[in-house]
Amino acid sequence: MHSGEKNPDLPKSYSAAQVAEALDCSEWWVKEQARRRRIPFLRSGSGYRFTRNHVEEIFHILEERPDPVNTPQISATSTRRRTFVPFDVPAMQLQARRPRRARNAV
């Protein structure tokens, strides 16, 4: 085996830049998520590396599933009641507080 060839029996690994391109995000974001241990990775001498299984798991971690409340009911005779909030109920009026430095400067 020549020095430039890699062992085909070993799993291929991807750089943070390659994973970022697949996720359509920045390389910094991928490295930050790995640094915070939010996504799986390998740490090697060249930094963070990712196997195909890691990338698939990252896709699953980032996957958003539909909210069961927002999915249409299959049964037309559903017994679940919906909570209705009328729009004519007045909203609570919020008031800003004076900044702390302005309160202490009296």
Side-chain angles (χ1 to χ4, degrees):
M1 187 157 72
H2 295 84
S3 61
E5 294 179 19
K6 293 189 177 186
N7 187 343
D9 297 331
L10 295 176
K12 180 172 172 50
S13 66
Y14 303 95
S15 68
Q18 291 170 313
V19 173
E21 184 177 341
L23 294 173
D24 194 27
C25 65
S26 70
E27 182 179 353
W28 175 88
W29 185 88
V30 172
K31 289 179 178 180
E32 183 66 10
Q33 299 312 304
R35 185 184 72 78
R36 292 177 180 237
R37 308 236 187 287
R38 293 180 179 158
I39 58 174
F41 64 94
L42 296 169
R43 188 183 306 263
S44 72
S46 61
Y48 298 110
R49 300 295 293 181
F50 304 88
T51 64
R52 177 182 278 296
N53 289 339
H54 288 152
V55 175
E56 289 173 1
E57 188 175 345
I58 293 167
F59 273 94
H60 287 295
I61 290 169
L62 299 176
E63 181 180 35
E64 295 276 341
R65 302 298 304 164
D67 187 358
V69 174
N70 294 330
T71 55
Q73 295 292 325
I74 296 172
S75 171
T77 59
S78 176
T79 58
R80 192 171 82 170
R81 302 182 85 195
R82 293 185 180 189
T83 306
F84 178 71
V85 179
F87 291 108
D88 58 345
V89 175
M92 176 188 273
Q93 185 66 36
L94 300 177
Q95 284 190 328
R97 293 189 305 191
R98 291 179 54 197
R100 184 173 294 163
R101 64 179 176 268
R103 283 185 270 162
N104 294 337
V106 175

mmCIF file of all heavy atoms in Angstrom, residues 17-64:
data_model
loop_
_atom_site.group_PDB
_atom_site.id
_atom_site.type_symbol
_atom_site.label_atom_id
_atom_site.label_comp_id
_atom_site.label_asym_id
_atom_site.label_seq_id
_atom_site.Cartn_x
_atom_site.Cartn_y
_atom_site.Cartn_z
ATOM 1 N N ALA A 17 -16.302 20.596 7.678
ATOM 2 C CA ALA A 17 -16.719 21.372 6.499
ATOM 3 C C ALA A 17 -17.636 20.547 5.607
ATOM 4 O O ALA A 17 -18.628 21.060 5.073
ATOM 5 C CB ALA A 17 -15.493 21.844 5.721
ATOM 6 N N GLN A 18 -17.328 19.271 5.425
ATOM 7 C CA GLN A 18 -18.172 18.409 4.601
ATOM 8 C C GLN A 18 -19.541 18.184 5.245
ATOM 9 O O GLN A 18 -20.566 18.185 4.563
ATOM 10 C CB GLN A 18 -17.471 17.071 4.351
ATOM 11 C CG GLN A 18 -16.258 17.189 3.456
ATOM 12 C CD GLN A 18 -15.451 15.912 3.424
ATOM 13 O OE1 GLN A 18 -15.160 15.307 4.463
ATOM 14 N NE2 GLN A 18 -15.083 15.484 2.210
ATOM 15 N N VAL A 19 -19.554 17.997 6.562
ATOM 16 C CA VAL A 19 -20.828 17.820 7.279
ATOM 17 C C VAL A 19 -21.630 19.112 7.212
ATOM 18 O O VAL A 19 -22.846 19.091 6.994
ATOM 19 C CB VAL A 19 -20.582 17.381 8.740
ATOM 20 C CG1 VAL A 19 -21.876 17.353 9.530
ATOM 21 C CG2 VAL A 19 -19.909 16.018 8.775
ATOM 22 N N ALA A 20 -20.970 20.244 7.377
ATOM 23 C CA ALA A 20 -21.653 21.535 7.301
ATOM 24 C C ALA A 20 -22.293 21.723 5.927
ATOM 25 O O ALA A 20 -23.420 22.214 5.826
ATOM 26 C CB ALA A 20 -20.674 22.666 7.596
ATOM 27 N N GLU A 21 -21.598 21.321 4.883
ATOM 28 C CA GLU A 21 -22.160 21.442 3.538
ATOM 29 C C GLU A 21 -23.401 20.558 3.395
ATOM 30 O O GLU A 21 -24.404 20.975 2.826
ATOM 31 C CB GLU A 21 -21.108 21.060 2.494
ATOM 32 C CG GLU A 21 -21.585 21.243 1.073
ATOM 33 C CD GLU A 21 -20.512 20.920 0.049
ATOM 34 O OE1 GLU A 21 -19.313 20.901 0.411
ATOM 35 O OE2 GLU A 21 -20.879 20.670 -1.106
ATOM 36 N N ALA A 22 -23.352 19.350 3.952
ATOM 37 C CA ALA A 22 -24.496 18.441 3.874
ATOM 38 C C ALA A 22 -25.691 18.979 4.662
ATOM 39 O O ALA A 22 -26.839 18.794 4.270
ATOM 40 C CB ALA A 22 -24.106 17.061 4.395
ATOM 41 N N LEU A 23 -25.408 19.669 5.777
ATOM 42 C CA LEU A 23 -26.473 20.211 6.625
ATOM 43 C C LEU A 23 -26.891 21.615 6.208
ATOM 44 O O LEU A 23 -27.832 22.167 6.775
ATOM 45 C CB LEU A 23 -26.011 20.253 8.095
ATOM 46 C CG LEU A 23 -25.753 18.919 8.764
ATOM 47 C CD1 LEU A 23 -25.152 19.142 10.141
ATOM 48 C CD2 LEU A 23 -27.022 18.099 8.848
ATOM 49 N N ASP A 24 -26.181 22.201 5.270
ATOM 50 C CA ASP A 24 -26.428 23.575 4.831
ATOM 51 C C ASP A 24 -26.309 24.548 6.007
ATOM 52 O O ASP A 24 -27.204 25.341 6.293
ATOM 53 C CB ASP A 24 -27.798 23.699 4.158
ATOM 54 C CG ASP A 24 -27.937 25.005 3.395
ATOM 55 O OD1 ASP A 24 -26.905 25.550 2.962
ATOM 56 O OD2 ASP A 24 -29.078 25.487 3.247
ATOM 57 N N CYS A 25 -25.193 24.420 6.716
ATOM 58 C CA CYS A 25 -24.923 25.315 7.844
ATOM 59 C C CYS A 25 -23.435 25.655 7.826
ATOM 60 O O CYS A 25 -22.706 25.235 6.928
ATOM 61 C CB CYS A 25 -25.338 24.658 9.163
ATOM 62 S SG CYS A 25 -24.364 23.199 9.580
ATOM 63 N N SER A 26 -22.987 26.381 8.810
ATOM 64 C CA SER A 26 -21.579 26.782 8.834
ATOM 65 C C SER A 26 -20.711 25.712 9.485
ATOM 66 O O SER A 26 -21.170 24.935 10.330
ATOM 67 C CB SER A 26 -21.416 28.101 9.602
ATOM 68 O OG SER A 26 -21.639 27.892 10.978
ATOM 69 N N GLU A 27 -19.472 25.689 9.080
ATOM 70 C CA GLU A 27 -18.503 24.778 9.684
ATOM 71 C C GLU A 27 -18.340 25.096 11.170
ATOM 72 O O GLU A 27 -18.207 24.202 11.997
ATOM 73 C CB GLU A 27 -17.160 24.907 8.964
ATOM 74 C CG GLU A 27 -16.091 23.979 9.472
ATOM 75 C CD GLU A 27 -14.778 24.121 8.722
ATOM 76 O OE1 GLU A 27 -14.725 24.855 7.707
ATOM 77 O OE2 GLU A 27 -13.797 23.491 9.150
ATOM 78 N N TRP A 28 -18.378 26.386 11.518
ATOM 79 C CA TRP A 28 -18.270 26.793 12.918
ATOM 80 C C TRP A 28 -19.383 26.152 13.739
ATOM 81 O O TRP A 28 -19.145 25.661 14.843
ATOM 82 C CB TRP A 28 -18.360 28.325 13.040
ATOM 83 C CG TRP A 28 -18.378 28.764 14.463
ATOM 84 C CD1 TRP A 28 -17.304 29.027 15.254
ATOM 85 C CD2 TRP A 28 -19.534 28.965 15.288
ATOM 86 N NE1 TRP A 28 -17.712 29.377 16.524
ATOM 87 C CE2 TRP A 28 -19.091 29.340 16.570
ATOM 88 C CE3 TRP A 28 -20.902 28.848 15.073
ATOM 89 C CZ2 TRP A 28 -19.960 29.604 17.619
ATOM 90 C CZ3 TRP A 28 -21.765 29.111 16.120
ATOM 91 C CH2 TRP A 28 -21.284 29.483 17.375
ATOM 92 N N TRP A 29 -20.624 26.131 13.209
ATOM 93 C CA TRP A 29 -21.758 25.579 13.938
ATOM 94 C C TRP A 29 -21.542 24.097 14.215
ATOM 95 O O TRP A 29 -21.775 23.628 15.325
ATOM 96 C CB TRP A 29 -23.057 25.792 13.157
ATOM 97 C CG TRP A 29 -24.259 25.339 13.918
ATOM 98 C CD1 TRP A 29 -24.998 26.070 14.790
ATOM 99 C CD2 TRP A 29 -24.847 24.034 13.887
ATOM 100 N NE1 TRP A 29 -26.014 25.293 15.310
ATOM 101 C CE2 TRP A 29 -25.941 24.042 14.764
ATOM 102 C CE3 TRP A 29 -24.560 22.868 13.191
ATOM 103 C CZ2 TRP A 29 -26.745 22.932 14.981
ATOM 104 C CZ3 TRP A 29 -25.352 21.755 13.411
ATOM 105 C CH2 TRP A 29 -26.434 21.797 14.301
ATOM 106 N N VAL A 30 -21.065 23.354 13.217
ATOM 107 C CA VAL A 30 -20.823 21.918 13.387
ATOM 108 C C VAL A 30 -19.760 21.698 14.461
ATOM 109 O O VAL A 30 -19.939 20.867 15.364
ATOM 110 C CB VAL A 30 -20.390 21.277 12.055
ATOM 111 C CG1 VAL A 30 -19.939 19.832 12.252
ATOM 112 C CG2 VAL A 30 -21.518 21.342 11.038
ATOM 113 N N LYS A 31 -18.676 22.458 14.407
ATOM 114 C CA LYS A 31 -17.614 22.315 15.407
ATOM 115 C C LYS A 31 -18.107 22.689 16.797
ATOM 116 O O LYS A 31 -17.757 22.038 17.787
ATOM 117 C CB LYS A 31 -16.413 23.182 15.030
ATOM 118 C CG LYS A 31 -15.647 22.660 13.835
ATOM 119 C CD LYS A 31 -14.488 23.583 13.502
ATOM 120 C CE LYS A 31 -13.684 23.071 12.342
ATOM 121 N NZ LYS A 31 -12.561 23.959 12.019
ATOM 122 N N GLU A 32 -18.923 23.726 16.886
ATOM 123 C CA GLU A 32 -19.459 24.164 18.182
ATOM 124 C C GLU A 32 -20.373 23.095 18.772
ATOM 125 O O GLU A 32 -20.331 22.816 19.968
ATOM 126 C CB GLU A 32 -20.210 25.490 18.012
ATOM 127 C CG GLU A 32 -20.744 26.065 19.293
ATOM 128 C CD GLU A 32 -19.679 26.518 20.285
ATOM 129 O OE1 GLU A 32 -18.479 26.558 19.923
ATOM 130 O OE2 GLU A 32 -20.043 26.833 21.433
ATOM 131 N N GLN A 33 -21.213 22.472 17.941
ATOM 132 C CA GLN A 33 -22.101 21.418 18.435
ATOM 133 C C GLN A 33 -21.283 20.216 18.905
ATOM 134 O O GLN A 33 -21.604 19.598 19.917
ATOM 135 C CB GLN A 33 -23.115 21.003 17.356
ATOM 136 C CG GLN A 33 -24.027 22.112 16.892
ATOM 137 C CD GLN A 33 -24.660 22.885 18.019
ATOM 138 O OE1 GLN A 33 -25.324 22.311 18.882
ATOM 139 N NE2 GLN A 33 -24.441 24.190 18.050
ATOM 140 N N ALA A 34 -20.231 19.882 18.197
ATOM 141 C CA ALA A 34 -19.351 18.784 18.612
ATOM 142 C C ALA A 34 -18.630 19.151 19.907
ATOM 143 O O ALA A 34 -18.547 18.335 20.830
ATOM 144 C CB ALA A 34 -18.348 18.455 17.506
ATOM 145 N N ARG A 35 -18.132 20.381 19.977
ATOM 146 C CA ARG A 35 -17.422 20.823 21.182
ATOM 147 C C ARG A 35 -18.325 20.752 22.407
ATOM 148 O O ARG A 35 -17.908 20.340 23.488
ATOM 149 C CB ARG A 35 -16.917 22.257 21.005
ATOM 150 C CG ARG A 35 -16.063 22.761 22.168
ATOM 151 C CD ARG A 35 -15.666 24.207 21.975
ATOM 152 N NE ARG A 35 -16.779 25.113 22.167
ATOM 153 C CZ ARG A 35 -17.261 25.497 23.361
ATOM 154 N NH1 ARG A 35 -16.732 25.021 24.466
ATOM 155 N NH2 ARG A 35 -18.258 26.346 23.451
ATOM 156 N N ARG A 36 -19.601 21.093 22.237
ATOM 157 C CA ARG A 36 -20.565 21.050 23.342
ATOM 158 C C ARG A 36 -21.174 19.666 23.540
ATOM 159 O O ARG A 36 -22.065 19.491 24.343
ATOM 160 C CB ARG A 36 -21.678 22.072 23.106
ATOM 161 C CG ARG A 36 -21.194 23.495 23.194
ATOM 162 C CD ARG A 36 -22.307 24.462 22.882
ATOM 163 N NE ARG A 36 -21.848 25.817 22.966
ATOM 164 C CZ ARG A 36 -22.390 26.729 23.757
ATOM 165 N NH1 ARG A 36 -23.425 26.435 24.499
ATOM 166 N NH2 ARG A 36 -21.912 27.948 23.771
ATOM 167 N N ARG A 37 -20.703 18.709 22.754
ATOM 168 C CA ARG A 37 -21.134 17.315 22.835
ATOM 169 C C ARG A 37 -22.629 17.150 22.559
ATOM 170 O O ARG A 37 -23.308 16.336 23.170
ATOM 171 C CB ARG A 37 -20.778 16.700 24.177
ATOM 172 C CG ARG A 37 -19.319 16.859 24.560
ATOM 173 C CD ARG A 37 -18.706 15.507 24.838
ATOM 174 N NE ARG A 37 -17.379 15.508 25.372
ATOM 175 C CZ ARG A 37 -16.285 15.805 24.708
ATOM 176 N NH1 ARG A 37 -16.352 16.233 23.496
ATOM 177 N NH2 ARG A 37 -15.094 15.702 25.241
ATOM 178 N N ARG A 38 -23.137 17.918 21.588
ATOM 179 C CA ARG A 38 -24.537 17.819 21.187
ATOM 180 C C ARG A 38 -24.723 16.896 19.992
ATOM 181 O O ARG A 38 -25.835 16.483 19.702
ATOM 182 C CB ARG A 38 -25.080 19.204 20.845
ATOM 183 C CG ARG A 38 -25.167 20.108 22.049
ATOM 184 C CD ARG A 38 -25.696 21.452 21.658
ATOM 185 N NE ARG A 38 -25.798 22.324 22.816
ATOM 186 C CZ ARG A 38 -25.820 23.644 22.748
ATOM 187 N NH1 ARG A 38 -25.765 24.243 21.567
ATOM 188 N NH2 ARG A 38 -25.911 24.357 23.835
ATOM 189 N N ILE A 39 -23.632 16.614 19.282
ATOM 190 C CA ILE A 39 -23.675 15.713 18.142
ATOM 191 C C ILE A 39 -22.508 14.731 18.268
ATOM 192 O O ILE A 39 -21.480 15.050 18.864
ATOM 193 C CB ILE A 39 -23.609 16.467 16.791
ATOM 194 C CG1 ILE A 39 -22.339 17.309 16.690
ATOM 195 C CG2 ILE A 39 -24.853 17.322 16.573
ATOM 196 C CD1 ILE A 39 -22.128 17.975 15.341
ATOM 197 N N PRO A 40 -22.656 13.518 17.716
ATOM 198 C CA PRO A 40 -21.563 12.534 17.795
ATOM 199 C C PRO A 40 -20.422 12.884 16.846
ATOM 200 O O PRO A 40 -20.648 13.482 15.791
ATOM 201 C CB PRO A 40 -22.252 11.229 17.376
ATOM 202 C CG PRO A 40 -23.416 11.648 16.552
ATOM 203 C CD PRO A 40 -23.856 12.986 17.079
ATOM 204 N N PHE A 41 -19.219 12.521 17.240
ATOM 205 C CA PHE A 41 -18.039 12.828 16.428
ATOM 206 C C PHE A 41 -16.866 11.972 16.865
ATOM 207 O O PHE A 41 -16.917 11.315 17.907
ATOM 208 C CB PHE A 41 -17.665 14.315 16.562
ATOM 209 C CG PHE A 41 -17.244 14.702 17.954
ATOM 210 C CD1 PHE A 41 -15.906 14.704 18.314
ATOM 211 C CD2 PHE A 41 -18.174 15.053 18.910
ATOM 212 C CE1 PHE A 41 -15.503 15.055 19.597
ATOM 213 C CE2 PHE A 41 -17.791 15.401 20.190
ATOM 214 C CZ PHE A 41 -16.454 15.404 20.537
ATOM 215 N N LEU A 42 -15.815 11.995 16.071
ATOM 216 C CA LEU A 42 -14.518 11.420 16.428
ATOM 217 C C LEU A 42 -13.546 12.579 16.550
ATOM 218 O O LEU A 42 -13.584 13.499 15.741
ATOM 219 C CB LEU A 42 -14.007 10.495 15.319
ATOM 220 C CG LEU A 42 -14.800 9.250 14.998
ATOM 221 C CD1 LEU A 42 -14.277 8.628 13.706
ATOM 222 C CD2 LEU A 42 -14.670 8.263 16.128
ATOM 223 N N ARG A 43 -12.678 12.522 17.523
ATOM 224 C CA ARG A 43 -11.645 13.545 17.617
ATOM 225 C C ARG A 43 -10.343 12.915 17.147
ATOM 226 O O ARG A 43 -9.924 11.891 17.648
ATOM 227 C CB ARG A 43 -11.484 14.052 19.040
ATOM 228 C CG ARG A 43 -10.547 15.245 19.118
ATOM 229 C CD ARG A 43 -10.306 15.714 20.528
ATOM 230 N NE ARG A 43 -11.506 15.997 21.248
ATOM 231 C CZ ARG A 43 -12.052 17.204 21.399
ATOM 232 N NH1 ARG A 43 -11.470 18.240 20.855
ATOM 233 N NH2 ARG A 43 -13.130 17.379 22.098
ATOM 234 N N SER A 44 -9.754 13.531 16.150
ATOM 235 C CA SER A 44 -8.487 13.020 15.634
ATOM 236 C C SER A 44 -7.470 14.150 15.642
ATOM 237 O O SER A 44 -7.780 15.275 16.019
ATOM 238 C CB SER A 44 -8.684 12.469 14.215
ATOM 239 O OG SER A 44 -8.883 13.531 13.313
ATOM 240 N N GLY A 45 -6.288 13.837 15.179
ATOM 241 C CA GLY A 45 -5.238 14.846 15.127
ATOM 242 C C GLY A 45 -5.596 16.010 14.222
ATOM 243 O O GLY A 45 -5.103 17.117 14.386
ATOM 244 N N SER A 46 -6.494 15.774 13.269
ATOM 245 C CA SER A 46 -6.881 16.845 12.354
ATOM 246 C C SER A 46 -8.182 17.529 12.786
ATOM 247 O O SER A 46 -8.781 18.244 12.005
ATOM 248 C CB SER A 46 -7.029 16.278 10.936
ATOM 249 O OG SER A 46 -8.038 15.289 10.912
ATOM 250 N N GLY A 47 -8.622 17.300 14.003
ATOM 251 C CA GLY A 47 -9.820 17.969 14.515
ATOM 252 C C GLY A 47 -10.997 17.021 14.598
ATOM 253 O O GLY A 47 -10.843 15.826 14.817
ATOM 254 N N TYR A 48 -12.186 17.555 14.415
ATOM 255 C CA TYR A 48 -13.402 16.759 14.494
ATOM 256 C C TYR A 48 -13.615 16.009 13.189
ATOM 257 O O TYR A 48 -13.501 16.578 12.106
ATOM 258 C CB TYR A 48 -14.620 17.657 14.759
ATOM 259 C CG TYR A 48 -14.535 18.399 16.068
ATOM 260 C CD1 TYR A 48 -14.343 19.771 16.092
ATOM 261 C CD2 TYR A 48 -14.660 17.737 17.270
ATOM 262 C CE1 TYR A 48 -14.265 20.455 17.288
ATOM 263 C CE2 TYR A 48 -14.585 18.403 18.479
ATOM 264 C CZ TYR A 48 -14.390 19.768 18.482
ATOM 265 O OH TYR A 48 -14.318 20.432 19.673
ATOM 266 N N ARG A 49 -13.925 14.727 13.289
ATOM 267 C CA ARG A 49 -14.223 13.896 12.127
ATOM 268 C C ARG A 49 -15.546 13.190 12.387
ATOM 269 O O ARG A 49 -15.928 12.955 13.540
ATOM 270 C CB ARG A 49 -13.129 12.856 11.890
ATOM 271 C CG ARG A 49 -11.747 13.439 11.644
ATOM 272 C CD ARG A 49 -11.656 14.248 10.386
ATOM 273 N NE ARG A 49 -11.822 13.402 9.200
ATOM 274 C CZ ARG A 49 -11.766 13.868 7.970
ATOM 275 N NH1 ARG A 49 -11.540 15.144 7.742
ATOM 276 N NH2 ARG A 49 -11.930 13.063 6.952
ATOM 277 N N PHE A 50 -16.241 12.848 11.306
ATOM 278 C CA PHE A 50 -17.569 12.268 11.408
ATOM 279 C C PHE A 50 -17.680 11.086 10.459
ATOM 280 O O PHE A 50 -17.287 11.191 9.296
ATOM 281 C CB PHE A 50 -18.628 13.317 11.042
ATOM 282 C CG PHE A 50 -18.526 14.554 11.888
ATOM 283 C CD1 PHE A 50 -17.694 15.596 11.517
ATOM 284 C CD2 PHE A 50 -19.245 14.670 13.061
ATOM 285 C CE1 PHE A 50 -17.586 16.741 12.293
ATOM 286 C CE2 PHE A 50 -19.145 15.807 13.848
ATOM 287 C CZ PHE A 50 -18.319 16.839 13.466
ATOM 288 N N THR A 51 -18.212 9.959 10.952
ATOM 289 C CA THR A 51 -18.457 8.808 10.096
ATOM 290 C C THR A 51 -19.843 8.952 9.464
ATOM 291 O O THR A 51 -20.628 9.834 9.846
ATOM 292 C CB THR A 51 -18.422 7.499 10.909
ATOM 293 O OG1 THR A 51 -19.494 7.518 11.851
ATOM 294 C CG2 THR A 51 -17.087 7.314 11.613
ATOM 295 N N ARG A 52 -20.174 8.079 8.535
ATOM 296 C CA ARG A 52 -21.498 8.086 7.915
ATOM 297 C C ARG A 52 -22.574 7.891 8.980
ATOM 298 O O ARG A 52 -23.613 8.546 8.953
ATOM 299 C CB ARG A 52 -21.597 6.982 6.864
ATOM 300 C CG ARG A 52 -22.987 6.894 6.232
ATOM 301 C CD ARG A 52 -23.101 5.787 5.227
ATOM 302 N NE ARG A 52 -22.623 6.053 3.905
ATOM 303 C CZ ARG A 52 -23.135 6.965 3.071
ATOM 304 N NH1 ARG A 52 -24.111 7.723 3.459
ATOM 305 N NH2 ARG A 52 -22.661 7.114 1.867
ATOM 306 N N ASN A 53 -22.324 6.997 9.939
ATOM 307 C CA ASN A 53 -23.295 6.769 11.017
ATOM 308 C C ASN A 53 -23.487 8.032 11.856
ATOM 309 O O ASN A 53 -24.606 8.330 12.281
ATOM 310 C CB ASN A 53 -22.873 5.600 11.903
ATOM 311 C CG ASN A 53 -23.014 4.266 11.206
ATOM 312 O OD1 ASN A 53 -23.766 4.134 10.236
ATOM 313 N ND2 ASN A 53 -22.287 3.278 11.676
ATOM 314 N N HIS A 54 -22.408 8.753 12.115
ATOM 315 C CA HIS A 54 -22.515 10.010 12.857
ATOM 316 C C HIS A 54 -23.403 10.998 12.110
ATOM 317 O O HIS A 54 -24.283 11.622 12.695
ATOM 318 C CB HIS A 54 -21.138 10.642 13.072
ATOM 319 C CG HIS A 54 -20.289 9.920 14.054
ATOM 320 N ND1 HIS A 54 -18.918 9.949 13.989
ATOM 321 C CD2 HIS A 54 -20.594 9.153 15.120
ATOM 322 C CE1 HIS A 54 -18.415 9.235 14.975
ATOM 323 N NE2 HIS A 54 -19.421 8.735 15.672
ATOM 324 N N VAL A 55 -23.159 11.141 10.807
ATOM 325 C CA VAL A 55 -23.926 12.097 10.002
ATOM 326 C C VAL A 55 -25.401 11.714 9.993
ATOM 327 O O VAL A 55 -26.277 12.567 10.160
ATOM 328 C CB VAL A 55 -23.353 12.203 8.575
ATOM 329 C CG1 VAL A 55 -24.205 13.096 7.706
ATOM 330 C CG2 VAL A 55 -21.914 12.702 8.616
ATOM 331 N N GLU A 56 -25.701 10.415 9.840
ATOM 332 C CA GLU A 56 -27.095 9.968 9.866
ATOM 333 C C GLU A 56 -27.736 10.267 11.216
ATOM 334 O O GLU A 56 -28.881 10.705 11.294
ATOM 335 C CB GLU A 56 -27.178 8.479 9.542
ATOM 336 C CG GLU A 56 -26.870 8.172 8.085
ATOM 337 C CD GLU A 56 -26.795 6.688 7.793
ATOM 338 O OE1 GLU A 56 -26.997 5.865 8.716
ATOM 339 O OE2 GLU A 56 -26.518 6.348 6.630
ATOM 340 N N GLU A 57 -26.987 10.045 12.299
ATOM 341 C CA GLU A 57 -27.511 10.328 13.637
ATOM 342 C C GLU A 57 -27.736 11.830 13.833
ATOM 343 O O GLU A 57 -28.720 12.244 14.449
ATOM 344 C CB GLU A 57 -26.558 9.783 14.709
ATOM 345 C CG GLU A 57 -27.135 9.876 16.104
ATOM 346 C CD GLU A 57 -26.253 9.227 17.153
ATOM 347 O OE1 GLU A 57 -25.337 8.454 16.801
ATOM 348 O OE2 GLU A 57 -26.485 9.512 18.348
ATOM 349 N N ILE A 58 -26.848 12.652 13.295
ATOM 350 C CA ILE A 58 -27.016 14.107 13.382
ATOM 351 C C ILE A 58 -28.294 14.522 12.664
ATOM 352 O O ILE A 58 -29.059 15.345 13.169
ATOM 353 C CB ILE A 58 -25.777 14.838 12.814
ATOM 354 C CG1 ILE A 58 -24.561 14.593 13.701
ATOM 355 C CG2 ILE A 58 -26.048 16.333 12.657
ATOM 356 C CD1 ILE A 58 -23.242 15.001 13.088
ATOM 357 N N PHE A 59 -28.549 13.927 11.495
ATOM 358 C CA PHE A 59 -29.792 14.226 10.777
ATOM 359 C C PHE A 59 -31.005 13.870 11.641
ATOM 360 O O PHE A 59 -31.977 14.613 11.689
ATOM 361 C CB PHE A 59 -29.845 13.481 9.441
ATOM 362 C CG PHE A 59 -29.188 14.225 8.318
ATOM 363 C CD1 PHE A 59 -27.871 13.997 7.979
ATOM 364 C CD2 PHE A 59 -29.895 15.163 7.593
ATOM 365 C CE1 PHE A 59 -27.267 14.682 6.943
ATOM 366 C CE2 PHE A 59 -29.306 15.869 6.548
ATOM 367 C CZ PHE A 59 -27.990 15.623 6.226
ATOM 368 N N HIS A 60 -30.934 12.730 12.338
ATOM 369 C CA HIS A 60 -32.052 12.332 13.202
ATOM 370 C C HIS A 60 -32.197 13.271 14.397
ATOM 371 O O HIS A 60 -33.309 13.592 14.812
ATOM 372 C CB HIS A 60 -31.892 10.893 13.673
ATOM 373 C CG HIS A 60 -32.148 9.879 12.606
ATOM 374 N ND1 HIS A 60 -33.368 9.701 12.012
ATOM 375 C CD2 HIS A 60 -31.312 9.003 11.993
ATOM 376 C CE1 HIS A 60 -33.295 8.755 11.099
ATOM 377 N NE2 HIS A 60 -32.046 8.327 11.056
ATOM 378 N N ILE A 61 -31.080 13.720 14.944
ATOM 379 C CA ILE A 61 -31.123 14.651 16.081
ATOM 380 C C ILE A 61 -31.777 15.962 15.665
ATOM 381 O O ILE A 61 -32.579 16.536 16.407
ATOM 382 C CB ILE A 61 -29.697 14.906 16.620
ATOM 383 C CG1 ILE A 61 -29.164 13.655 17.313
ATOM 384 C CG2 ILE A 61 -29.671 16.111 17.563
ATOM 385 C CD1 ILE A 61 -27.676 13.713 17.642
ATOM 386 N N LEU A 62 -31.464 16.427 14.465
ATOM 387 C CA LEU A 62 -31.978 17.710 13.990
ATOM 388 C C LEU A 62 -33.365 17.612 13.365
ATOM 389 O O LEU A 62 -33.981 18.640 13.081
ATOM 390 C CB LEU A 62 -30.997 18.310 12.978
ATOM 391 C CG LEU A 62 -29.600 18.610 13.515
ATOM 392 C CD1 LEU A 62 -28.709 19.095 12.384
ATOM 393 C CD2 LEU A 62 -29.661 19.613 14.641
ATOM 394 N N GLU A 63 -33.843 16.404 13.185
ATOM 395 C CA GLU A 63 -35.130 16.206 12.524
ATOM 396 C C GLU A 63 -36.274 16.749 13.383
ATOM 397 O O GLU A 63 -36.306 16.541 14.586
ATOM 398 C CB GLU A 63 -35.348 14.711 12.280
ATOM 399 C CG GLU A 63 -36.630 14.386 11.590
ATOM 400 C CD GLU A 63 -36.787 12.894 11.370
ATOM 401 O OE1 GLU A 63 -36.352 12.108 12.228
ATOM 402 O OE2 GLU A 63 -37.346 12.533 10.334
ATOM 403 N N GLU A 64 -37.165 17.464 12.756
ATOM 404 C CA GLU A 64 -38.364 17.987 13.419
ATOM 405 C C GLU A 64 -39.536 17.118 13.010
ATOM 406 O O GLU A 64 -39.781 16.920 11.822
ATOM 407 C CB GLU A 64 -38.623 19.432 12.985
ATOM 408 C CG GLU A 64 -37.550 20.404 13.410
ATOM 409 C CD GLU A 64 -37.741 20.915 14.816
ATOM 410 O OE1 GLU A 64 -38.866 20.823 15.341
ATOM 411 O OE2 GLU A 64 -36.763 21.410 15.388
#
